[in-house]
């Protein structure tokens, strides 16, 4: 019986045997991870050493330094251009303000020039036109403000030095048509009393009725019962 059992152990039909390690699985995995990490570190170090030996890392650093310098230069140029643009904008604003101020001064000078021309024409009319010593009408002007208003202006003078005070009146007559028919009117309230020594300028506005057309204006300077001067203009 013992011989049979011994022979069965030596033959193929003998029971299977399993050889197991005494090291636990978690420790095996940790050891494998350490080995893989060490292998990766060695590989990375080897690659960096190869790159350093080949000079690639130095070239990359030089290229990066050059690029940084170019970026700094571009930033400086941009800041300079922005500063120039800001200065140009300020100059344009100042120039525009100066032009507007100059235009205002030009308009003011033109207005003053017109006033001076008007005054010059006014005083030219004060110069004696002849040898007459009587008071006279030296200027009669009128303009149409609208269909229902006419502005008039009369200049009267005494063309002598130390002339006595003139006491008289100014009579204006406006002639034309009203609704197609002849029409005449005068100043509201009649002739205007007038008193002056050397010269005087009189002006006013006539209200014209609807459908009325003023064609001529007649001015008379009257002293007492004598008409000293007459002047007629067409409108």
């Amino acid at each position: 019986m013992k011989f049979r059992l011994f022979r069965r152990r030596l033959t193929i039909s003998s029971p299977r045997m399993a050889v197991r390690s005494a090291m636990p699985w978690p420790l095996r995995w940790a050891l494998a991870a350490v080995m893989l990490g060490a292998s990766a570190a060695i590989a990375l170090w080897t690659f960096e050493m190869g790159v350093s030996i080949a000079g690639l890392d130095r070239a990359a650093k030089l290229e990066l330094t050059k690029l940084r310098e170019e970026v700094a230069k571009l930033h400086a140029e941009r800041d300079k251009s922005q500063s120039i643009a800001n200065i140009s904008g300020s100059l344009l604003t100042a120039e525009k303000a100066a032009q507007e101020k100059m235009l205002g001064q030009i308009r003011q000078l033109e207005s003053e020039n017109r006033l001076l021309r008007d005054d010059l024409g006014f005083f030219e009319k004060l110069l004696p036109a002849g040898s007459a010593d009587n008071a006279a009408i030296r200027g009669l002007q009128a303009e149409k403000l609208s269909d229902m208003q006419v502005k008039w202006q009369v200049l009267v003078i005494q063309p002598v030095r130390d002339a006595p005070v003139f006491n008289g009146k100014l009579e204006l007559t406006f002639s034309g048509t009203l609704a197609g028919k002849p029409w005449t009117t005068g100043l509201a309230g009649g002739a205007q009393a007038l008193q002056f020594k050397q010269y005087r300028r009189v002006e006013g506005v006539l209200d014209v009725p609807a459908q009325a057309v003023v064609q001529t204006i007649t001015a008379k300077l009257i002293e007492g019962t004598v008409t000293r001067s007459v002047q007629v203009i067409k409108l």
Side-chain angles (χ1 to χ4, degrees):
M1 189 65 178
K2 289 181 179 182
F3 177 75
R4 291 180 178 177
L5 292 173
F6 180 74
R7 189 177 59 183
R8 184 179 298 174
R9 290 179 181 178
L10 294 177
T11 59
I12 297 174
S13 60
S14 62
R16 295 181 180 180
M17 298 178 63
V19 180
R20 297 181 179 178
S21 175
M23 183 179 295
W25 283 107
L27 187 58
R28 291 181 184 180
W29 283 110
L31 183 60
V34 170
M35 292 179 67
L36 288 174
S39 300
I42 292 171
L44 180 60
W45 177 79
T46 303
F47 175 76
E48 289 180 353
M49 284 295 294
V51 171
S52 177
I53 292 171
L56 297 177
D57 189 32
R58 182 179 301 174
K61 289 181 178 179
L62 291 175
E63 186 68 20
L64 180 60
T65 303
K66 184 178 180 181
L67 289 175
R68 287 177 177 174
E69 291 176 354
E70 290 180 356
V71 170
K73 184 178 179 180
L74 290 174
H75 285 172
E77 292 178 354
R78 182 204 62 187
D79 295 339
K80 184 178 179 180
S81 300
Q82 185 66 36
S83 178
I84 293 173
N86 293 336
I87 293 173
S88 300
S90 301
L91 291 176
L92 288 174
T93 302
E95 184 178 358
K96 185 177 180 181
Q99 288 179 352
E100 291 178 354
K101 184 178 180 180
M102 186 177 297
L103 288 175
Q105 292 176 349
I106 291 173
R107 286 192 290 268
Q108 183 178 359
L109 290 174
E110 289 177 349
S111 177
E112 292 176 355
N113 191 25
R114 285 194 297 269
L115 292 175
L116 288 174
R117 285 200 302 267
D118 293 341
D119 290 340
L120 179 60
F122 169 71
F123 286 108
E124 283 178 348
K125 292 175 182 178
L126 294 179
L127 296 176
S131 60
D133 296 336
N134 294 329
I137 298 173
R138 292 302 306 274
L140 173 58
Q141 297 177 349
E143 62 176 331
K144 191 175 181 181
L145 298 179
S146 65
D147 292 338
M148 301 184 66
Q149 281 190 329
V150 175
K151 182 180 179 180
W152 57 268
Q153 185 180 76
V154 178
L155 173 65
V156 293
I157 68 169
Q158 294 195 93
V160 292
R161 294 178 181 269
D162 301 325
V165 176
F166 176 87
N167 286 290
K169 59 184 178 180
L170 178 66
E171 182 181 274
L172 267 74
T173 304
F174 301 87
S175 302
T177 59
L178 176 62
K181 297 180 181 180
W183 167 77
T184 302
T185 188
L187 296 176
Q192 183 173 338
L194 196 60
Q195 186 180 53
F196 66 96
K197 184 174 176 64
Q198 195 67 52
Y199 70 89
R200 185 171 177 183
R201 182 162 49 186
V202 187
E203 61 185 7
V205 176
L206 174 71
D207 292 327
V208 181
Q211 298 183 346
V213 179
V214 178
Q215 296 174 339
T216 61
I217 302 175
T218 303
K220 292 182 180 181
L221 185 61
I222 302 172
E223 185 179 13
T225 58
V226 179
T227 301
R228 297 296 185 185
S229 179
V230 179
Q231 193 168 115
V232 181
I233 61 171
K234 293 184 178 180
L235 189 61

